[in-house]
Amino acid sequence: MKTETNLETIVIGGGCYWCVEAVYENLMGVKSVVSGFSGGTVKNPTYDEVSSGRTGAAEVVQITYDANITNLNEIFKVFFTVHDPTTLNKQGADVGTQYRSVIFYKDENQKLAAQTIINALKKAKVYKSPIVTILEPFSRFYKAEEYHQNYYENNKNQPYCQMVIQPKIKKFEKVFKDRLKRK
């Protein structure tokens, strides 16, 4: 029996897009994760331009998911588990506005869902420092160069992948073990 899919997209940034992409590739219901850029003033920026910090764009991923299998709330729970939403324009050694914690909402439903989880995390005092995740209206998504797509999968033996991305994946797998894609 074939079931109808209910595909939706969300654009989020939690530091280096290689890390965020690698995590969401393993979440049940996620159909695709594309690394790219959003926000800023430059049309179709390159990685080098965004890395300069002068474009205003953030490294982000565009997640397409089947809302019959996962939902925005789960997407956001993963997001707030695998990155530090309390460091302004910084994730680990990556520093600059291009690494900001950001959710680019496409409609009021996405904005409300994001604000609701942020409020719940604040109320529960999950973090010692204030959450600095920015909610920005979505305008454009620009796909990053091809070598940035599936970066972790294609470069697992690189030191960055082993030291930075793998711990995030392990944390995700531990917390969301019942929601992992079957391989």
Side-chain angles (χ1 to χ4, degrees):
M1 184 168 115
K2 189 174 182 182
T3 59
E4 291 272 329
T5 59
N6 184 10
L7 297 182
E8 296 184 17
T9 62
I10 184 73
V11 174
I12 58 175
C16 172
Y17 48 36
W18 298 339
C19 298
V20 182
E21 177 192 66
V23 167
Y24 282 101
E25 288 287 355
N26 294 300
L27 179 63
M28 267 200 301
V30 170
K31 298 299 178 190
S32 73
V33 186
V34 180
S35 290
F37 313 105
S38 200
T41 56
V42 175
K43 289 184 178 179
N44 204 25
T46 65
Y47 176 73
D48 289 338
E49 288 172 326
V50 173
S51 294
S52 77
R54 293 189 299 266
T55 66
E59 285 194 16
V60 297
V61 293
Q62 179 175 264
I63 302 167
T64 302
Y65 63 97
D66 185 339
N68 293 328
I69 300 171
T70 189
N71 57 49
L72 209 45
N73 193 43
E74 183 171 61
I75 299 282
F76 290 152
K77 283 180 181 177
V78 170
F79 178 68
F80 286 104
T81 298
V82 300
H83 91 291
D84 183 352
T86 69
T87 54
L88 186 62
N89 301 328
K90 181 179 186 316
Q91 286 297 306
D94 295 327
V95 179
T97 57
Q98 66 271 31
Y99 301 113
R100 66 188 177 270
S101 177
V102 60
I103 297 169
F104 288 96
Y105 61 89
K106 293 184 179 181
D107 56 34
E108 285 303 308
N109 178 52
Q110 288 185 349
K111 182 180 181 183
L112 180 61
Q115 194 60 63
T116 299
I117 195 164
I118 289 170
N119 291 343
L121 291 167
K122 287 178 181 177
K123 185 176 180 182
K125 297 182 171 126
V126 172
Y127 302 100
K128 291 179 179 147
S129 300
I131 293 172
V132 296
T133 302
I134 300 166
L135 303 183
E136 291 186 33
F138 175 81
S139 59
R140 296 283 314 255
F141 172 81
Y142 300 101
K143 183 178 177 182
E145 295 88 342
E146 203 53 45
Y147 72 94
H148 291 288
Q149 308 306 319
N150 300 306
Y151 188 85
Y152 174 76
E153 196 59 38
N154 295 328
N155 298 280
K156 286 182 181 177
N157 294 325
Q158 294 286 339
Y160 185 88
C161 292
Q162 292 178 349
M163 294 184 295
V164 178
I165 301 175
Q166 282 180 4
K168 291 177 185 274
I169 292 172
K170 295 288 182 214
K171 183 176 186 180
F172 163 75
E173 290 173 345
K174 182 179 179 188
V175 174
F176 296 93
K177 62 181 171 264
D178 296 337
R179 302 294 298 145
L180 298 176
K181 285 182 180 175
R182 309 252 188 267
K183 293 190 178 182

